[in-house]
């Protein structure tokens, strides 16, 4: 996993890199400071990484990605604070430990807040968090029927002040771009 971001507190650009020897093992995170021209290790974390656990979205100066605990496959969000170089965990809106498959397949930024896209069999829900660390602060903001968006290849690209949301991604044979005008839940 590699991520690049701006640390506005120290006026520096940082490159974060992580790797692990195997799925479920500790991951070593290192950071390169452009201003200092140096690498340092910041933390070993018990978040098993594979190709799908790359930072999905930058919100409030933190990188966020979905993760699962190896011991029980329960889902959660990991965030990496760019300035303080520390990790935080945030619960998902619903408990996923009893689910057969993690239904949250994408993250994004919606109106400046972290959001999750929950793809279900015949519809999609968009959840937005207001207060980190408080599961009850997740709000179901939008829901709509769509078979085309329920896959791992579609991402929330942009939200407009008009209420429209732009989704983009790669379909089986062509690029897919959709603008949906949805009513709030």
């Amino acid at each position: 996993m590699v991520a690049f971001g701006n640390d506005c507190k120290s006026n520096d650009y940082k490159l974060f890199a992580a790797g692990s020897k195997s799925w479920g093992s500790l991951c070593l995170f290192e950071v390169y400071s452009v201003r200092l021209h140096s690498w340092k290790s910041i933390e070993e974390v018990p978040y098993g990484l594979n190709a799908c656990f790359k930072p999905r979205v930058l919100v409030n100066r933190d990188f966020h990605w979905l993760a699962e605990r190896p011991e029980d496959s329960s889902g959660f969000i990991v965030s990496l604070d760019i300035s303080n170089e520390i990790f935080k965990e945030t619960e998902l809106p619903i408990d996923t430990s009893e689910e057969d498959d993690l239904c949250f397949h994408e993250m994004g930024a919606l109106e400046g807040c972290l959001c999750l896209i929950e793809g279900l069999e015949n519809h999609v829900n968009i959840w937005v968090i207001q207060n980190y660390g408080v599961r009850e602060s997740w709000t179901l903001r939008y829901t709509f029927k769509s078979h085309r968006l329920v896959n791992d290849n579609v991402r929330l690209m942009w939200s407009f002040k008009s209420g429209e949301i732009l989704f983009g991604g790669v379909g089986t044979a062509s690029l897919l771009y959709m603008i949906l005008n949805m009513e709030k839940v």
Side-chain angles (χ1 to χ4, degrees):
M1 183 192 86
V2 177
F4 184 74
N6 177 268
D7 178 356
C8 60
K9 284 185 179 178
S10 65
N11 195 25
D12 191 7
Y13 288 95
K14 295 180 178 178
L15 176 69
F16 295 90
S20 64
K21 293 180 181 178
S22 64
W23 168 250
S25 65
L26 291 176
C27 294
L28 176 63
F29 277 78
E30 295 187 335
V31 60
Y32 177 79
S33 165
V34 172
R35 185 172 52 85
L36 300 175
H37 304 291
S38 65
W39 283 95
K40 70 176 181 176
S41 296
I42 56 172
E43 191 172 350
E44 277 191 340
V45 294
Y47 312 128
L49 294 179
N50 63 19
C52 67
F53 293 141
K54 57 184 181 253
R56 295 288 187 173
V57 65
L58 179 65
V59 178
N60 296 327
R61 296 184 297 268
D62 290 354
F63 289 114
H64 298 82
W65 66 93
L66 292 168
E68 288 182 359
R69 288 181 181 82
E71 64 273 7
D72 64 3
S73 297
S74 61
F76 63 104
I77 296 170
V78 175
S79 59
L80 172 58
D81 181 318
I82 294 173
S83 296
N84 298 316
E85 300 171 358
I86 59 171
F87 293 89
K88 297 174 267 186
E89 292 183 14
T90 301
E91 291 184 88
L92 297 173
I94 58 174
D95 182 13
T96 60
S97 61
E98 302 297 320
E99 303 290 326
D100 291 335
D101 191 21
L102 187 63
C103 55
F104 296 103
H105 65 83
E106 192 56 67
M107 304 176 74
L110 185 62
E111 299 165 0
C113 297
L114 181 66
C115 73
L116 286 170
I117 299 172
E118 178 185 25
L120 301 168
E121 188 173 319
N122 61 357
H123 68 283
V124 173
N125 292 327
I126 299 179
W127 295 82
V128 177
I129 191 168
Q130 302 300 316
N131 297 315
Y132 283 85
V134 181
R135 176 177 271 165
E136 294 77 24
S137 74
W138 282 103
T139 303
L140 179 60
R141 183 72 57 92
Y142 297 103
T143 189
F144 57 95
K145 292 187 183 295
S146 176
H147 297 285
R148 292 178 63 189
L149 285 180
V150 184
N151 67 57
D152 291 338
N153 297 323
V154 176
R155 296 193 59 172
L156 186 146
M157 304 298 284
W158 193 260
S159 62
F160 299 93
K161 290 181 182 180
S162 65
E164 293 179 326
I165 299 175
L166 173 67
F167 290 92
V170 178
T172 55
S174 64
L175 286 173
L176 164 71
Y177 285 94
M178 298 179 71
I179 295 181
L180 299 173
N181 191 1
M182 300 169 286
E183 294 188 23
K184 291 186 178 181
V185 174

